[in-house]
Amino acid sequence: MRRILLATDFSERSDRALRRSVLLARAFGATIDIVHSVDDDRPRRIVDRETEEAGILLAELVRSLATIDAVKANARVFRADPFAGIARAVEELGPDLLVLGPHRREILRDAFVGTTAERTIRSVNCPVLMVNGPPIGPYRHALLTTDLSDRSRESLRRFEALGIAAGIGRSVLNVFDAPALRLATSGSISLEDRREYLEDQRAGALRSLSEFVTTEGGVRAEPIVRHEESTVANDILRAANELCADLIVVSTRGKGTIARLLLGSVAERVLRSSAVDVLAVPPGRAD
């Protein structure tokens, strides 16, 4: 990892993302490109003033990183709304990783256009790290998630190549469905038969996940399966909590459960409710 792109709005949330970026930059010897977007849909004098002020703050931040953290950094100001500015920065700078601060809920805006983070994750073709947890040190345990699709495999391979969680504990989770228990007639199934059916489904899911993990070029992680009891998002968050994971890794643009993760209510739940960092990884640069 050579280039890290950090999007900041100079808030406390962005400071958390900054500290994680510094930890990663020092570990990899990477350069941090810091970008700030000034909304240009306002009177010109206001935009000019905020652009100048943002430039001064960014210059001070770059100097601080060099003198205090011994990290090389560059900075740019984009005149655009936050989403457009970040997308332009990714396209022009070509980072290995984009780092964002945790979500700030804006109820009406989110209801119509989604969060900046969600829109960015859908649009850019680089891994996106949302920093939710306190960046007190290197990651200790990563929870990888998969729907067993080829695209999910590509994403996890890209995660491996990124090296962001090299040498730490890892688990890979697949949330499986038990369709017979969702049928209208499931109430007629005895408790013993339900347990037996669920165990059969669990065993099959674990075999499939184990094969997925051990396939040539696969991922290095302990396979874990869970029955989808409430929602996929809740099961992911619960597993992360039980494993004391401080990083959740999800694939983007895949099929099945992981596609839902980034396209609907599951995305909202994981990205907005996770107490730990979430890394969203697309299958590949050419995808």
Side-chain angles (χ1 to χ4, degrees), residues 125-183:
N125 202 28
C126 69
V128 180
L129 177 65
M130 177 179 283
V131 182
N132 296 312
I136 58 178
Y139 290 118
R140 299 180 303 275
H141 194 105
L143 175 63
L144 288 58
T145 61
T146 180
D147 61 357
L148 308 182
S149 69
D150 290 339
R151 286 195 171 189
S152 175
R153 185 189 303 280
E154 292 172 17
S155 294
L156 291 179
R157 286 174 178 168
R158 190 172 183 185
F159 161 75
E160 293 282 358
L162 192 62
I164 195 172
I168 70 170
R170 304 186 203 186
S171 304
V172 57
L173 170 69
N174 173 245
V175 180
F176 70 91
D177 187 20
L181 300 184
R182 293 188 286 103
L183 298 176

Side-chain angles (χ1 to χ4, degrees), residues 264-276:
S265 60
V266 182
E268 180 180 344
R269 175 64 175 164
V270 172
L271 291 173
R272 303 182 189 184
S273 301
S274 176
V276 302

Side-chain angles (χ1 to χ4, degrees), residues 142-150 152-153 156 170-177 200-227 236 239 243 249 251 257-258:
L143 175 63
L144 288 58
T145 61
T146 180
D147 61 357
L148 308 182
S149 69
D150 290 339
S152 175
R153 185 189 303 280
L156 291 179
R170 304 186 203 186
S171 304
V172 57
L173 170 69
N174 173 245
V175 180
F176 70 91
D177 187 20
D200 287 343
Q201 294 294 307
R202 187 184 307 278
L206 185 57
R207 283 194 300 271
S208 297
L209 180 57
S210 298
E211 292 173 2
F212 179 88
V213 170
T214 57
T215 299
E216 181 180 357
V219 297
R220 298 185 298 276
E222 176 190 5
I224 299 174
V225 296
R226 278 182 175 272
H227 169 226
I236 291 173
L243 293 166
V249 182
S251 305
T257 57
I258 299 304

